[in-house]
Amino acid sequence: MLDTFEIVTTSGVVLWSRTYAPVNPSVINDFISDTFIEEKDGSAAIRDSQSASANPIYKTDTHTLRWTLNKELGVIFVVVYRSLLHLSWVDKLVDNIRTIFVQLYGEQLKKPHTTLVESAGFDDYFDQQLRELDTTSGQSAGNAARKPDDTPAEPKADPFDYDSPDVDSGTNSPVPGLKGSRPTTPAGKVSRRARKAMNNSRPGSPAEDPKKKNAKPTKKNRKWDADGMADEEDDVQLDYSMQADGEEAPRSGAVEEVDASTWGTSSKGKFVLRDLGDEVHDILASASADKANARSAPKSGFLGSGVNAISGIFRNVVGGKTLSKADLDKAMKEMEEHLLRKNVAREAAVRLCEGVSKELVGTKTGNFEGINAKIQSAMEASLTKMLTPTSSLDLLREIDAITSPPVTSMRQRRPYVMSIVGVNGVGKSTNLSKICFFLLQNKYKVLIAAGDTFRSGAVEQLAVHVRNLKELTEREGGQVDLYQKGYGKDAATVAKDAVAHAAQSGYDVVLIDTAGRRHNDQRLMSSLEKFAKFAQPDKIIMVGEALVGTDSVAQARNFNDAFGSGRTLDGFLISKCDTVGDMVGTLVSLVHATNVPVLFVGVGQHYSDLRNFSVKWAVEKLLAGN
């Protein structure tokens, strides 16, 4: 997507760069010479530009350059990409990177005789902005952009290209009578009949060598009995993670070490997850507020440019009058449609808009003023009120209160029990492992219980996670083990036995995996009540998928009501948030349906890709422009 991004001083020192594809150095050099030395675009070079969109576009034969300048520090921020691409977000990227870099390293650059800055950690900030801003393409920028310094793979030779130097163009042409060419139609394309003739005429083809036609062995279908067990002979090996002698199969490579500073911080002896994007957003919001103050303009709040799109919905609602419901009806309908496009379920969107309308009706705006400030405030308040939990979500404090009760307390020490539930395919086992890794960072002794005794491979999947986590445990601290009784067992009994084993063995936390089940299948859902009675979990977390859309309301309600009287869900973990950009409305739908808070969000497939839920981040995403 991008070719390169460079941060360079006006004296020619490169402070930081990120290259995705090779770019001739003359492209940057010519840009600096034409713009800042010869000043071919007039006074642009001496202006302390605040926005890349305000600066002239610099183009070469194949590349386009967008740039901005911090005159005080003498630093140029320039991005290079192919001219045939139309990247609507690139100006915003340049502006945001300028703001973040100056905020982080401005003090270093202000020191006399400074030519280099310690900017090794700036890659993370750049990647975060690249992922967040590239919402107009069909995929995230992290996937769209090539890896740094990657070169495209060599194209495979066309087996039908007989002009290729790898194909004999002499008398050994596969089709008799052709020499160095392939049979074509008048339009220059290979006909089906000719292609078929070429295939059948090749040495070793199925037509000429019938012995090889069925040489590839066919896979024998495996039969399963009514209990979900393989109907095979006793000597058939189904667990391919083990060798024939019972030893663990050799692994292809070690688990990559995780840098804890990239996904959390230590505070008062505890490892705390980082809120998604909060640090970058705080920097940008602070810079925006400073800029607004300098211009003596009203503050726009923490929502930044995204609110401008929402404010446009209310552009026809004029000020200087007392607002009525009729004044807001059309705007609220547009607002509702906007939320639907963000994956918010309709009933949740209607509830939000009714709350905003109710708050605005009867208020009076100032003369000749729009109501943007009031709209922003009302929508922020409604979303924040809906998403803010009513009880403490300090998981580590809850664990310590149960595993290490005060001396004066009459309570016995016992393990903290947490179970993970959800529909099929949302990532329950993967996110359970992420939570486990977070607990290992805090030096807890964790037992993972394999409560999914139905799905083939579920126990082996958890065994692989435990094996990886054990390897990481050697470096991070804590202890993790797997408790499993195989397949076909009663899941509630397995969970109960796991808790008893953890209590006897001194484990701090028990994480119970459960089988995925359809929320509208009463037979499958009914077993959750027995599970809750047997396992007695302290916290039941439902994994909800950010991609699910409007069906999330039914899922949340059915799971919330499935554990019997007096027992409900305790929190949500929203998985795959990295795949939906700003379409994070699923979390609003889940909270609206149950009044159960969101605890965590999953942002990737690595063990460290778990974040605390941030109400501020969610509100910003929901109110951002499309």
Side-chain angles (χ1 to χ4, degrees), residues 415 417 447 449 483 494-504 510 512 534-536:
V417 182
L447 181 68
Y483 184 90
V494 172
K496 181 180 179 180
D497 293 345
V499 174
H501 172 75
Q504 294 174 359
V510 181
I512 305 175
F534 274 46
Q536 293 291 311

mmCIF file of all heavy atoms in Angstrom, residues 415 417 447 449 483 494-504 510 512 534-536:
data_model
loop_
_atom_site.group_PDB
_atom_site.id
_atom_site.type_symbol
_atom_site.label_atom_id
_atom_site.label_comp_id
_atom_site.label_asym_id
_atom_site.label_seq_id
_atom_site.Cartn_x
_atom_site.Cartn_y
_atom_site.Cartn_z
ATOM 1 N N PRO A 415 -9.577 -21.749 45.110
ATOM 2 C CA PRO A 415 -9.215 -21.172 43.803
ATOM 3 C C PRO A 415 -10.346 -20.312 43.242
ATOM 4 O O PRO A 415 -11.526 -20.555 43.528
ATOM 5 C CB PRO A 415 -8.970 -22.401 42.930
ATOM 6 C CG PRO A 415 -9.789 -23.485 43.554
ATOM 7 C CD PRO A 415 -9.769 -23.211 45.035
ATOM 8 N N VAL A 417 -12.597 -19.369 40.240
ATOM 9 C CA VAL A 417 -13.075 -20.174 39.109
ATOM 10 C C VAL A 417 -13.699 -19.257 38.058
ATOM 11 O O VAL A 417 -14.587 -18.459 38.368
ATOM 12 C CB VAL A 417 -14.099 -21.223 39.569
ATOM 13 C CG1 VAL A 417 -14.547 -22.077 38.373
ATOM 14 C CG2 VAL A 417 -13.512 -22.108 40.665
ATOM 15 N N LEU A 447 -4.920 -23.528 36.508
ATOM 16 C CA LEU A 447 -5.311 -24.833 35.995
ATOM 17 C C LEU A 447 -6.371 -24.631 34.917
ATOM 18 O O LEU A 447 -7.410 -24.021 35.163
ATOM 19 C CB LEU A 447 -5.882 -25.715 37.114
ATOM 20 C CG LEU A 447 -6.313 -27.127 36.694
ATOM 21 C CD1 LEU A 447 -5.086 -27.959 36.317
ATOM 22 C CD2 LEU A 447 -7.095 -27.817 37.806
ATOM 23 N N ALA A 449 -9.137 -26.315 32.638
ATOM 24 C CA ALA A 449 -9.969 -27.514 32.609
ATOM 25 C C ALA A 449 -10.581 -27.679 31.220
ATOM 26 O O ALA A 449 -11.229 -26.754 30.704
ATOM 27 C CB ALA A 449 -11.071 -27.424 33.663
ATOM 28 N N TYR A 483 -6.115 -29.935 32.970
ATOM 29 C CA TYR A 483 -6.903 -30.995 33.585
ATOM 30 C C TYR A 483 -7.891 -31.487 32.537
ATOM 31 O O TYR A 483 -8.720 -30.720 32.038
ATOM 32 C CB TYR A 483 -7.664 -30.470 34.804
ATOM 33 C CG TYR A 483 -8.439 -31.545 35.553
ATOM 34 C CD1 TYR A 483 -7.847 -32.248 36.583
ATOM 35 C CD2 TYR A 483 -9.749 -31.844 35.207
ATOM 36 C CE1 TYR A 483 -8.541 -33.236 37.271
ATOM 37 C CE2 TYR A 483 -10.455 -32.825 35.871
ATOM 38 C CZ TYR A 483 -9.852 -33.520 36.909
ATOM 39 O OH TYR A 483 -10.545 -34.490 37.585
ATOM 40 N N VAL A 494 -16.758 -32.952 34.899
ATOM 41 C CA VAL A 494 -15.340 -32.643 34.667
ATOM 42 C C VAL A 494 -14.977 -31.316 35.314
ATOM 43 O O VAL A 494 -13.925 -31.183 35.963
ATOM 44 C CB VAL A 494 -15.041 -32.617 33.153
ATOM 45 C CG1 VAL A 494 -13.627 -32.103 32.895
ATOM 46 C CG2 VAL A 494 -15.217 -33.997 32.542
ATOM 47 N N ALA A 495 -15.846 -30.313 35.171
ATOM 48 C CA ALA A 495 -15.577 -29.001 35.765
ATOM 49 C C ALA A 495 -15.537 -29.085 37.286
ATOM 50 O O ALA A 495 -14.654 -28.489 37.940
ATOM 51 C CB ALA A 495 -16.652 -28.006 35.312
ATOM 52 N N LYS A 496 -16.476 -29.821 37.869
ATOM 53 C CA LYS A 496 -16.506 -29.960 39.324
ATOM 54 C C LYS A 496 -15.247 -30.651 39.838
ATOM 55 O O LYS A 496 -14.648 -30.222 40.837
ATOM 56 C CB LYS A 496 -17.752 -30.757 39.724
ATOM 57 C CG LYS A 496 -17.916 -30.943 41.224
ATOM 58 C CD LYS A 496 -19.185 -31.739 41.528
ATOM 59 C CE LYS A 496 -19.340 -31.948 43.040
ATOM 60 N NZ LYS A 496 -20.573 -32.727 43.330
ATOM 61 N N ASP A 497 -14.839 -31.718 39.173
ATOM 62 C CA ASP A 497 -13.632 -32.437 39.578
ATOM 63 C C ASP A 497 -12.388 -31.570 39.414
ATOM 64 O O ASP A 497 -11.440 -31.656 40.223
ATOM 65 C CB ASP A 497 -13.485 -33.713 38.758
ATOM 66 C CG ASP A 497 -14.582 -34.733 39.053
ATOM 67 O OD1 ASP A 497 -15.268 -34.566 40.081
ATOM 68 O OD2 ASP A 497 -14.759 -35.665 38.243
ATOM 69 N N ALA A 498 -12.362 -30.746 38.369
ATOM 70 C CA ALA A 498 -11.210 -29.865 38.159
ATOM 71 C C ALA A 498 -11.078 -28.854 39.294
ATOM 72 O O ALA A 498 -9.967 -28.574 39.767
ATOM 73 C CB ALA A 498 -11.351 -29.149 36.819
ATOM 74 N N VAL A 499 -12.198 -28.296 39.738
ATOM 75 C CA VAL A 499 -12.164 -27.328 40.843
ATOM 76 C C VAL A 499 -11.684 -28.005 42.120
ATOM 77 O O VAL A 499 -10.876 -27.441 42.880
ATOM 78 C CB VAL A 499 -13.557 -26.700 41.039
ATOM 79 C CG1 VAL A 499 -13.573 -25.808 42.278
ATOM 80 C CG2 VAL A 499 -13.946 -25.885 39.810
ATOM 81 N N ALA A 500 -12.166 -29.232 42.378
ATOM 82 C CA ALA A 500 -11.731 -29.961 43.567
ATOM 83 C C ALA A 500 -10.235 -30.263 43.506
ATOM 84 O O ALA A 500 -9.511 -30.120 44.506
ATOM 85 C CB ALA A 500 -12.534 -31.255 43.700
ATOM 86 N N HIS A 501 -9.758 -30.668 42.337
ATOM 87 C CA HIS A 501 -8.325 -30.945 42.172
ATOM 88 C C HIS A 501 -7.498 -29.677 42.377
ATOM 89 O O HIS A 501 -6.431 -29.723 43.006
ATOM 90 C CB HIS A 501 -8.082 -31.516 40.773
ATOM 91 C CG HIS A 501 -6.626 -31.661 40.430
ATOM 92 N ND1 HIS A 501 -5.829 -32.658 40.961
ATOM 93 C CD2 HIS A 501 -5.823 -30.928 39.603
ATOM 94 C CE1 HIS A 501 -4.603 -32.535 40.488
ATOM 95 N NE2 HIS A 501 -4.567 -31.502 39.648
ATOM 96 N N ALA A 502 -7.986 -28.548 41.855
ATOM 97 C CA ALA A 502 -7.257 -27.287 42.019
ATOM 98 C C ALA A 502 -7.179 -26.878 43.480
ATOM 99 O O ALA A 502 -6.145 -26.366 43.947
ATOM 100 C CB ALA A 502 -7.944 -26.197 41.199
ATOM 101 N N ALA A 503 -8.259 -27.101 44.231
ATOM 102 C CA ALA A 503 -8.265 -26.747 45.656
ATOM 103 C C ALA A 503 -7.257 -27.596 46.432
ATOM 104 O O ALA A 503 -6.544 -27.095 47.316
ATOM 105 C CB ALA A 503 -9.674 -26.916 46.223
ATOM 106 N N GLN A 504 -7.162 -28.874 46.097
ATOM 107 C CA GLN A 504 -6.236 -29.760 46.791
ATOM 108 C C GLN A 504 -4.785 -29.477 46.421
ATOM 109 O O GLN A 504 -3.885 -29.682 47.234
ATOM 110 C CB GLN A 504 -6.580 -31.217 46.462
ATOM 111 C CG GLN A 504 -7.932 -31.678 46.995
ATOM 112 C CD GLN A 504 -8.283 -33.082 46.522
ATOM 113 O OE1 GLN A 504 -7.525 -33.702 45.772
ATOM 114 N NE2 GLN A 504 -9.438 -33.579 46.958
ATOM 115 N N VAL A 510 -8.838 -21.369 38.265
ATOM 116 C CA VAL A 510 -9.267 -22.435 37.367
ATOM 117 C C VAL A 510 -9.992 -21.782 36.190
ATOM 118 O O VAL A 510 -10.958 -21.039 36.379
ATOM 119 C CB VAL A 510 -10.216 -23.430 38.061
ATOM 120 C CG1 VAL A 510 -10.619 -24.535 37.090
ATOM 121 C CG2 VAL A 510 -9.556 -24.026 39.295
ATOM 122 N N ILE A 512 -12.132 -22.690 32.944
ATOM 123 C CA ILE A 512 -12.881 -23.824 32.401
ATOM 124 C C ILE A 512 -13.328 -23.514 30.976
ATOM 125 O O ILE A 512 -14.078 -22.559 30.748
ATOM 126 C CB ILE A 512 -14.107 -24.143 33.272
ATOM 127 C CG1 ILE A 512 -13.688 -24.366 34.730
ATOM 128 C CG2 ILE A 512 -14.831 -25.373 32.744
ATOM 129 C CD1 ILE A 512 -14.861 -24.576 35.660
ATOM 130 N N PHE A 534 -22.675 -27.233 39.311
ATOM 131 C CA PHE A 534 -21.562 -28.116 39.650
ATOM 132 C C PHE A 534 -20.249 -27.352 39.813
ATOM 133 O O PHE A 534 -19.502 -27.585 40.760
ATOM 134 C CB PHE A 534 -21.405 -29.192 38.573
ATOM 135 C CG PHE A 534 -22.281 -30.391 38.779
ATOM 136 C CD1 PHE A 534 -23.623 -30.230 39.104
ATOM 137 C CD2 PHE A 534 -21.794 -31.670 38.623
ATOM 138 C CE1 PHE A 534 -24.456 -31.316 39.287
ATOM 139 C CE2 PHE A 534 -22.611 -32.777 38.816
ATOM 140 C CZ PHE A 534 -23.944 -32.592 39.145
ATOM 141 N N ALA A 535 -19.955 -26.444 38.891
ATOM 142 C CA ALA A 535 -18.663 -25.748 38.900
ATOM 143 C C ALA A 535 -18.635 -24.554 39.843
ATOM 144 O O ALA A 535 -17.565 -24.172 40.323
ATOM 145 C CB ALA A 535 -18.311 -25.288 37.483
ATOM 146 N N GLN A 536 -19.792 -23.939 40.094
ATOM 147 C CA GLN A 536 -19.888 -22.754 40.953
ATOM 148 C C GLN A 536 -18.865 -21.682 40.547
ATOM 149 O O GLN A 536 -18.034 -21.249 41.358
ATOM 150 C CB GLN A 536 -19.673 -23.141 42.422
ATOM 151 C CG GLN A 536 -20.771 -24.004 43.022
ATOM 152 C CD GLN A 536 -22.083 -23.231 43.182
ATOM 153 O OE1 GLN A 536 -22.105 -22.126 43.707
ATOM 154 N NE2 GLN A 536 -23.162 -23.823 42.701
#
